[in-house]
Amino acid sequence: TPAQLKQLRKKLALSQQEAADVVLSPKRSWQNWETEAGKTNHRTMPEPILELFCKKTNLIYKIIDKKVLIEL
């Protein structure tokens, strides 16, 4: 969820710009991924980008029952 993504970024002590830089995306895209569902600018982060973010920040990334699990 957007809230989980924001929480993850904060635990890694990254700004939105720094997190966006990790996945080579504009800051605006990252902001949209963190926007609550139902809001005008909400976008769902594509799974390959989430996987890239996890790999580049050394997070354990698993998919179980179509749910993404990330371990710090």
Side-chain angles (χ1 to χ4, degrees):
T1 67
Q4 290 170 320
L5 183 62
K6 185 176 184 176
Q7 180 183 25
L8 180 63
R9 174 182 60 78
K10 288 186 172 197
K11 282 186 179 183
L12 293 170
L14 297 173
S15 67
Q16 287 180 325
Q17 183 63 61
E18 291 167 330
D21 290 346
V22 168
V23 294
L24 307 173
S25 292
K27 178 182 175 184
R28 178 41 107 189
S29 292
W30 193 275
Q31 290 170 328
N32 291 343
W33 295 327
E34 285 189 5
T35 300
E36 288 180 46
K39 301 278 183 176
T40 306
N41 293 330
H42 169 73
R43 301 289 181 272
T44 300
M45 178 183 272
E47 193 174 310
I49 294 178
L50 178 58
E51 184 175 4
L52 177 64
F53 181 74
C54 290
K55 287 182 183 275
K56 286 185 145 186
T57 56
N58 298 314
L59 297 172
I60 297 170
Y61 171 88
K62 299 176 189 175
I63 299 177
I64 299 174
D65 296 326
K66 297 185 180 183
K67 292 183 181 181
V68 176
L69 300 175
I70 300 170
E71 297 176 23
L72 292 176

